[in-house]
Every structure is written in structure tokens, then in C-alpha cells.
Amino acid sequence: MADYDFDVLVIGSGPGGYVAAIRAAQLGLKTACAESRETLGGTCLNVGCIPSKALLHASELFDEAAHGTMAKWGVKASGVELDLDGMHGSRMEAVKGLTQGIEFLFKKNKVEWLRGRASFASADTVKVGDRTVRAKNIVIATGSSVTPLPGVDVDQKRIVDSTGALELAEVPKHLVVIGGGVIGLELGSVWLRLGAKVTVVEYLDQILPGMDAEVRKEANKIFKKQGFELRLGTKVTGAKVEGAGVKLTVEPAAGGTAETIEADVVLVSIGRRPNTDGLALDKAGLKVNAKGQVDIDHSFKTGVPGIWAIGDVVPGPMLAHKAEDEGIAVAENIAGLTGIVNHDVIPSVVYTMPEIAGVGLTEEEAREHGEVKVGKFPMLANSRAKTNRETDGFVKVIADAKTDRVLGVWMIASVAGTMIAQAAQAMEFGATSEDIAYTCHAHPTHAEALKEAAMAVTGKPIHI
Ligand code: FAD
Ligand code: NAI
């Protein structure tokens, strides 16, 4: 340690980086975290998970009050008005509270925040702003940013990325979303609820790639019913800002006649790419792979001794909880413990209404591995969902036909994001569908739908 400034230097303070830094400090390691943003917390807390969920929650309340859902429950609200500035105020308050919370945790755990952009000078030396520090271990946790679409230049006014779409000063009349993935559907839902017409242009022939096919199909139906216009199998070939609007040229993905769509605002959400620009990885002896990611082994080691990497910058799903778990594991590995992340059991959630969630293999993937049994249960037959008038969706349990071990769970339900935790835990413990079916679930809860779907694997649900 003598000539090192730190035992651990983490580059980036997103959910991966800040968690790694705190865990390393908890384990007695002298730790610093470099962050170039004005506030800690990375994409997730500043311009991702948290502000998007603030707007999803607020827009849902507005929708319920303004469009009759509350009235159906005998709660009559008259003169409901949208105070968009107020909504943005709540979003910013949520972000401020949580990012300052990380600053507090850094102080509490004695993690030093090195303010500025970090770049490698060598394998153990990093420049951050006007400081140069040496660290025994360096964790790259620089996250990701929006993938640009050639010909559609983001100006954050008329053509926005997710950050711009969180900050629109007025509700667009027509929002065109390029990309029917998680960001497009979550932020599309926000503006749809607040009164925009929303068109989603998706290159593939279905929304939400990577999810279970039946879930994707059902989600498609639900979003259409909510008023989304979904243009599948369609590619955008160009965008021109004209006056207060944008003219988008689109054509069938397979080729065909081009047409123009006029929008007030266009959201580009076609995926994200790892952040490695400006890091001078070459000076550390590191290279990125064909996808621009930093390759690692199962313990988060890169090819260079003492350099580790986690989160969105490494292969795997770009999710905050995956980054956090990797943050804990990498710190434990650095401290000489055994930090492990089970990448087969990472839940994913789309926070639309209803929510869409999954963990493990899709039915299609599971069938590629061997024979499976599938149990399904509709939310329409769940007493709590029916009472709450949240009947859209279903739960599906996929189990190995021979061992009954649960291979995947997929669901669309108003509170699927909360329900999926139970499925993830069951899978982590190696549960069979029978284990879930014979676990007592509180009544009346949406979670009973998971129990019934598990019962349906062997054909024995009670309520259908
Ligand atoms: P990041 O959070 O991207 O943090 C990296 C940090 O490193 C940044 O603050 C960056 O400024 C800093 N940095 C980069 N390079 C340098 C450098 N050279 N020097 C110093 N600092 C540097 N995931 C979920 O699980 N749930 C959600 O609900 C969810 N919602 C999202 C909504 C939106 C709109 C977006 C865009 C993303 C969302 N995500 C969500 C994804 C989630 O934000 C990411 O998976 C997560 O933030 C990745 O964490 P990370 O620590 O790897 O990187
Ligand atoms: P995404 O990968 O979820 O979806 C991108 C979509 O754009 C795909 O459907 C893809 O087929 C489509 N596409 C790609 N190129 C296109 C083109 N040229 N024209 C039309 N469509 C095109 O990416 P998204 O929505 O940008 O989100 C990025 C990442 O952020 C996600 O992968 C996810 O990991 C993370 N995220 C997670 C959230 C959550 O967990 N709730 C919320 C928001 C983001």
C-alpha cells in the first residue's frame, strides 16, 4: 500500500460504482470514486430509473384522476388540471434527495469523491481532473449512454434522447418514439397519459425484444388498447426539423414505399452503448470487444491484473440491480472474499401499467434446452386484481418437464415488478413449480396468481 494512494479506485458512481465503493470501504479498504457529473448516482439516479419512475407515478395519478379511473371508484375529482412544472419539480426533488443520499453514504463510509473525468495514465495510475492517483485496484464502472441513430440528430428540443424526454417543458401533441424497447414504452406511457398521441416505430416485427414471445404479444395488445400506435417492422431513414416540428421518413424494414410522419417531438431510444471514450484504456493495456464492452471473467477481472469492470460497461443486461450486485461482488473479490452474481437469475421489469416482468429463460429459450411444462394463470381470475380492476395480463411459470425445476417466470400484472422478486428468490433457491404451488400465499394478493400459475404447471389451478 505504501506508494498507492488508494486500495481501490472506482471510476463512475452509478449503481455499480457507488455500491462497489461503499462495499470496499465497509471491508476496510481505502477507497475513492471518480465521477465527472455534478452529482453522484450515475445514469440511474440522475437521468434514468429514478426520474423516469417519478414521472411514471405522477402521470399515472393524473391519468386516474383525469380520465375516469378514480370516478369509477366513487371518487369524483372535478377541474383536474395538469401542472407539468409541479410534476417536474417532484421528479427533481426525488433525484436530489437520492443523489445527495449517496453523497452522505460516501461521507459516512469514508469514500473519497474525486471530482472530474478519469483517464488511465497506466495500469495503476489514473488522472482525474488535475489530480493523478495510484490505486492497487481499479474498477471501471463507467456505465453507458444513448446509442445514436445516424440521420436523426438529437438536439434535446425536437429530437430528444431519454434525458430530453424526461424534461419536456410541454406535452407534445404527437410524440414519435423510435424503438419499441423499455425506454420507448415507459417514457411513451408518461406522455400518452399526459395527453400526447404516441407513435412507436419499431424495426423488428414485435416490441420488447428479449422478452418471452407470449408476453410481447400480449403487451402489444394492451399498449394498442391504451392508445399507442405501434408501427412494427418499420425503419426510420431520416429526420428533418422543420419549424416547430419534425418530419420523419420511414419505410418498411424489409424495403418498400417510404412515407413521412410528422411529429412535435421525436424520442430516439434504440438502445445504449458502453462508455469507454476518453478513458485511455490503451494506456492500461486494455481493449474493448466488438460491442465496445470491457470483457471480464466470472470474478469481474479484466485481462489486466488489478483492473476490474462491472455494470453497463461489461456484457450482460444493462440494469441497475445487476450493476449493484456486481458492485458488491467485485468489492468482495478485491478484499479476498468470494463475490458471486448469478447471472441466470436477473429479473427485468418494464414499469408501464400494467408492469411487465420476467426472470430466467423465456419459453422459447427453455424449449431449446429440452422438454418443458408451462403453467399460466390470467390476472382476470385473481381476486385482488379483479377487485382493483387490474385484470390485464397473466403469470406464466416454465419448468423442466423431468425435474420440475423452475426455469423462468414471466408476467404482465399491475404490480409485476414487485411480484417478480418472489420468483427470482424461488429460482435462486432452486425451487420446483411444486415448491411455489405449496407455499402459502396471503389472500387477497396479486401474488396468488404466481402460486396458481405454478399449480397450473401440473394442471391443478383452483380458480380457473
Ligand atoms: P451508470 O449509472 O451509467 O453510471 C456511470 C457513471 O460513470 C456516470 O455517472 C458517468 O458520469 C460516470 N463516468 C463515465 N465515464 C467516466 C469517467 N471517465 N470519469 C468519471 N466518471 C465517469 N435500470 C433498471 O434496472 N431499472 C430501471 O427502472 C431503469 N430505468 C432506466 C431509465 C432510463 C431512462 C435509462 C436511461 C436507464 C434506465 N435503467 C434502468 C438502466 C440503468 O440506469 C443502468 O443499467 C445503470 O445506471 C447502470 O449502472 P452503472 O453503474 O453501470 O453505470
Ligand atoms: P432497448 O434495447 O430496450 O430497445 C431498443 C429498441 O429499439 C429495440 O426494440 C430495437 O429493436 C429497436 N431499434 C433498434 N434500432 C432501431 C431503428 N433503427 N429503428 C427502429 N427501432 C430500432 O433499448 P432502450 O429502450 O433504448 O433502453 C436501453 C436500455 O436501458 C435497456 O436495454 C435497459 O437495459 C435499460 N433500461 C431499463 C429500464 C428498466 O429496467 N425498467 C428502463 C429503461 C431503460
Side-chain angles (χ1 to χ4, degrees):
M1 176 68 198
D3 52 354
Y4 288 115
D5 299 291
F6 298 100
D7 293 312
V8 183
L9 167 65
V10 182
I11 306 178
S13 74
Y18 85 72
V19 168
I22 291 174
R23 192 71 171 142
Q26 284 173 345
L27 292 168
L29 300 168
K30 188 178 178 200
T31 305
C33 180
E35 173 57 61
S36 53
R37 252 179 233 277
E38 292 293 305
T39 45
L40 300 172
T43 304
C44 179
L45 273 66
N46 287 283
V47 291
C49 327
I50 297 304
S52 61
K53 268 76 243 177
L55 286 188
L56 278 158
H57 180 62
S59 61
E60 209 175 302
L61 292 176
F62 174 75
D63 188 36
E64 288 183 359
H67 303 133
T69 308
M70 271 169 51
K72 280 192 193 152
W73 287 97
V75 182
K76 286 193 180 168
S78 56
V80 176
E81 276 178 49
L82 173 64
D83 171 9
L84 189 54
D85 288 345
M87 244 179 223
H88 283 314
S90 292
R91 165 179 62 79
M92 289 188 283
E93 201 181 310
V95 169
K96 192 172 168 204
L98 289 168
T99 54
Q100 285 181 346
I102 308 299
E103 215 174 321
F104 164 80
L105 289 174
F106 270 16
K107 282 188 188 131
K108 183 178 162 203
N109 288 285
K110 303 197 170 46
V111 173
E112 189 177 340
W113 175 4
L114 307 180
R115 292 170 193 255
R117 274 203 91 68
S119 65
F120 282 95
S122 73
D124 65 3
T125 306
V126 171
K127 285 195 230 161
V128 188
D130 49 15
R131 240 181 113 177
T132 300
V133 294
R134 273 192 86 204
K136 199 168 174 189
N137 294 280
I138 298 171
V139 180
I140 303 172
T142 47
S144 65
S145 37
V146 179
T147 304
L149 179 58
V152 187
D153 300 328
V154 169
D155 62 13
Q156 298 297 26
K157 288 190 188 89
R158 294 288 151 206
I159 304 179
V160 298
D161 59 18
S162 55
T163 302
L166 288 167
E167 293 171 0
L168 298 179
E170 55 189 59
V171 180
K173 282 197 197 68
H174 188 195
L175 171 69
V176 175
V177 176
I178 309 179
V182 196
I183 292 181
L185 293 166
E186 286 189 2
L187 294 181
S189 292
V190 166
W191 296 106
L192 183 83
R193 291 170 193 164
L194 299 183
K197 171 180 163 131
V198 179
T199 303
V200 176
V201 181
E202 166 59 49
Y203 187 83
L204 300 175
D205 59 7
Q206 190 53 281
I207 55 172
L208 294 171
M211 297 214 148
D212 183 89
E214 223 174 336
V215 162
R216 295 172 72 188
K217 204 169 150 202
E218 185 67 16
N220 181 307
K221 262 203 259 168
I222 292 170
F223 290 129
K224 271 193 185 158
K225 199 169 73 182
Q226 290 178 357
F228 274 95
E229 186 175 336
L230 302 177
R231 301 284 307 264
L232 305 179
T234 304
K235 66 178 172 195
V236 173
T237 51
K240 228 190 199 168
V241 176
E242 275 188 19
V246 186
K247 283 193 171 153
L248 271 186
T249 335
V250 301
E251 61 183 52
T257 316
E259 63 173 299
T260 305
I261 306 180
E262 293 190 18
D264 304 280
V265 176
V266 172
L267 163 59
V268 182
S269 50
I270 59 163
R272 294 177 62 81
R273 60 177 187 184
N275 286 334
T276 53
D277 281 356
L279 262 181
L281 290 178
D282 53 321
K283 293 197 178 150
L286 276 171
K287 278 198 187 105
V288 294
N289 67 20
K291 292 184 174 165
Q293 300 155 325
V294 178
D295 278 326
I296 45 163
D297 68 10
H298 69 281
S299 59
F300 311 101
K301 283 183 181 141
T302 66
V304 176
I307 305 186
W308 314 69
I310 55 167
D312 281 10
V313 78
V314 305
M318 290 181 163
L319 295 171
H321 40 280
K322 177 240 181 206
E324 287 187 54
D325 284 7
E326 291 181 346
I328 291 177
V330 76
E332 292 182 348
N333 287 332
I334 290 171
L337 306 172
T338 308
I340 294 171
V341 176
N342 180 0
H343 285 100
D344 292 335
V345 184
I346 307 274
S348 61
V349 181
V350 188
Y351 296 88
T352 46
M353 178 50 80
E355 294 176 342
I356 303 163
V359 59
L361 301 180
T362 63
E363 186 176 336
E364 299 70 53
E365 289 165 342
R367 287 195 188 283
E368 275 172 27
H369 287 76
E371 224 181 300
V372 298
K373 291 181 294 180
V374 176
K376 253 180 85 178
F377 189 80
M379 293 314 291
L380 183 65
N382 171 272
S383 60
R384 186 65 181 276
K386 200 163 165 50
T387 306
N388 288 7
R389 296 196 180 93
E390 295 163 343
T391 51
D392 277 338
F394 60 85
V395 178
K396 171 170 169 177
V397 174
I398 303 147
D400 184 295
K402 288 194 193 79
T403 64
D404 192 35
R405 193 171 169 150
V406 178
L407 303 173
V409 176
W410 290 86
M411 53 178 81
I412 303 183
S414 56
V415 291
T418 306
M419 289 162 67
I420 202 68
Q422 184 204 337
Q425 189 162 46
M427 286 179 65
E428 190 67 44
F429 290 1
T432 60
S433 77
E434 191 180 48
D435 290 328
I436 300 178
Y438 284 101
T439 299
C440 187
H441 286 61
H443 175 77
T445 57
H446 296 77
E448 287 172 290
L450 175 57
K451 176 188 170 93
E452 294 252 21
M455 290 167 94
V457 170
T458 41
K460 298 182 297 189
I462 299 291
H463 293 95
I464 40 170

